[in-house]
Amino acid sequence: MTALPASSASSAFSALVPYGWDDAWADAFAPYHAEGLIAGRVVRVDRGQCDVVTAGGPLRADTAFVTPHDPLRVVCTGDWVAVEPQGNPRYVRTYLPRRTAFVRSTSSKRSEGQVLAANVDHAVVAVSLAAELDLGRIERFLALAWESGAQPVVVLTKADVVPDATTLSYLVQDVETTAPGVPVLPVSARQGEGLDVLAAVLSGGTSVLLGQSGAGKSTLANALLGEDVMHVQATREVDEKGRHTTTTRNLLALPGGGVLIDTPGLRGVGLWDAESGVGQVFSEIEELAGRCRFHDCAHAAEPGCAVLAAVEAGELPERRLESYRKLLRENQWIVAKTDARVRAELRRDWKRKGAQGRAAMEAKRGRWSS
């Protein structure tokens, strides 16, 4: 079979265009088309099998053919795949190189990363206004979102529970300070407020919907889809937590354009090699750090530290600095578990700090004894 020209992306594969197919994907798939394989996008993965939307309609395929030891290379929702044209079962032969991937660390002691969604343009972080804002958790989600290569968007759900516009504006302002460079949109899915703005933002590509259980993701997804596709359960009043109503990651076409991947509620959001993502979340601290006297300033007690000076002047909230330190430490620990060079650097750093601490104590004892 001859290779498919990229210009055919809107003809032979026109049914895939609403799911994000374009000329670049056609170019990437051309070698597999020449082998007689079928192009499709994974809309759901479940127990070693996946549902794939193709130009000829949906089909079910087995992912056993793509079983690498690296868990970051398993087939996931959002992947573009090459599927065998026939067979029982059919097999996914491979997936096309990902443009972006949203990855978190698992709770496993084996230091594994987990791919939540692939080829995502927008990472929508849903935060419920029915509960107290957890700014640190928002920062954690944003670090992973930036690291993935997607553009984050924070959606403040259940805006109808906020009693007045002034209070709502203050809440939006708090999150905007926490999320520099990120759109923050208050939305009420039940009353339809803010949905038109959000739909316009998401119409240009693939979006993944993230957040804790009880954040209102399924209700928001249904409102965007215009129908009750996702199951919704009541949130517990005692703690505003949900019950994992979504158990798989599902990719669905939006009526106004674009596609949406809904995900289960995430109780744990561990970083996975997200240093640059952390830097983007705390861009104002990174900018201040460039003015410190020492290039390796730890922003702890060093003289000439521009970051500490900003905290003392009230220009930088101390909570932001503590959150920045915490996420950097966590990320460094995750990287060190899989990178021997980083582990060696950490050991050297611990020894250096230990020696400095001992020297400081000896100096104090000298002053006390004199």
Side-chain angles (χ1 to χ4, degrees):
M1 183 178 291
T2 58
L4 182 72
S7 60
S8 298
S10 59
S11 54
F13 293 102
S14 58
L16 293 179
V17 173
Y19 290 89
W21 184 264
D22 57 27
D23 286 348
W25 287 122
D27 281 338
F29 183 72
Y32 303 107
H33 178 76
E35 295 178 22
L37 299 177
I38 298 172
R41 193 166 196 191
V42 177
V43 298
R44 185 172 179 268
V45 177
D46 181 31
R47 299 179 182 178
Q49 293 190 316
C50 62
D51 295 325
V52 183
V53 59
T54 72
L59 57 83
R60 186 81 165 162
D62 196 302
T63 62
F65 196 87
V66 187
T67 54
H69 295 295
D70 184 355
L72 297 178
R73 298 181 64 83
V74 299
V75 173
C76 75
T77 304
D79 272 327
W80 285 99
V81 293
V83 184
E84 293 177 346
Q86 56 188 3
N88 187 20
R90 294 190 184 191
Y91 287 95
V92 172
R93 185 75 63 82
T94 188
Y95 62 82
L96 302 183
R98 294 164 177 161
R99 294 178 182 175
T100 63
F102 193 95
V103 181
R104 69 163 178 174
S105 66
T106 66
S107 57
S108 167
K109 295 181 179 179
R110 293 176 294 180
S111 306
E112 293 181 344
Q114 178 188 20
V115 183
L116 298 181
N119 302 311
V120 172
D121 301 294
H122 297 99
V124 181
V125 180
V127 180
S128 172
L129 289 175
E132 184 177 354
L133 287 177
D134 186 340
L135 299 179
R137 182 171 290 273
I138 294 173
E139 289 162 344
R140 179 179 293 273
F141 270 110
L142 292 175
L144 292 176
W146 281 122
E147 191 68 32
S148 75
Q151 166 66 50
V153 179
V154 176
V155 174
L156 302 179
T157 65
K158 307 180 184 181
D160 52 289
V161 305
V162 180
D164 59 84
T166 301
T167 302
L168 180 60
S169 67
Y170 283 137
L171 291 171
V172 171
Q173 194 172 51
D174 286 344
V175 178
E176 286 176 338
T177 302
T178 301
V182 176
V184 179
L185 307 175
V187 168
S188 170
R190 297 191 185 280
Q191 297 185 359
E193 297 174 358
L195 288 175
D196 53 344
V197 177
L198 179 59
V201 171
L202 305 186
S203 63
T206 298
S207 304
V208 61
L209 190 53
L210 306 159
Q212 286 184 286
S213 297
K217 298 189 307 302
S218 295
T219 301
L220 180 61
N222 286 335
L224 290 168
L225 292 163
E227 55 183 318
D228 291 339
V229 175
M230 310 307 299
H231 180 55
V232 178
Q233 287 186 358
T235 301
R236 298 190 306 232
E237 292 183 3
V238 64
D239 54 11
E240 287 297 330
K241 290 183 179 179
R243 299 180 175 84
H244 287 293
T245 56
T246 301
T247 57
T248 58
R249 296 169 191 91
N250 304 280
L251 185 148
L252 301 157
L254 295 170
V259 294
L260 180 70
I261 300 174
D262 192 18
T263 65
L266 302 174
R267 288 197 179 97
V269 193
L271 300 185
W272 180 261
D273 196 5
E275 183 176 354
S276 64
V278 173
Q280 285 180 276
V281 174
F282 299 93
S283 56
E284 81 278 31
I285 298 179
E286 297 269 300
E287 183 179 351
L288 286 167
R291 306 176 200 166
C292 292
R293 181 183 302 176
F294 304 108
H295 74 278
D296 59 347
C297 183
H299 320 307
E302 295 85 348
C305 176
V307 174
L308 293 180
V311 172
E312 291 173 5
E315 299 169 0
L316 175 68
E318 189 170 358
R319 187 207 66 79
R320 285 280 285 172
L321 179 57
E322 286 302 316
S323 184
Y324 174 69
R325 288 169 173 162
K326 178 182 179 181
L327 292 183
L328 279 183
R329 285 195 302 268
E330 178 183 329
N331 188 72
Q332 192 175 40
W333 179 77
I334 287 291
V335 173
K337 289 177 73 175
T338 57
D339 191 319
R341 179 184 59 80
V342 174
R343 285 200 300 272
E345 289 177 355
L346 277 178
R347 283 194 292 268
R348 286 195 295 270
D349 188 49
W350 291 334
K351 288 180 180 178
R352 177 178 61 81
K353 289 180 178 178
Q356 289 175 343
R358 288 191 295 273
M361 285 301 298
E362 290 297 329
K364 285 183 180 179
R365 288 171 183 165
R367 287 197 298 271
W368 294 335
S369 61
S370 60

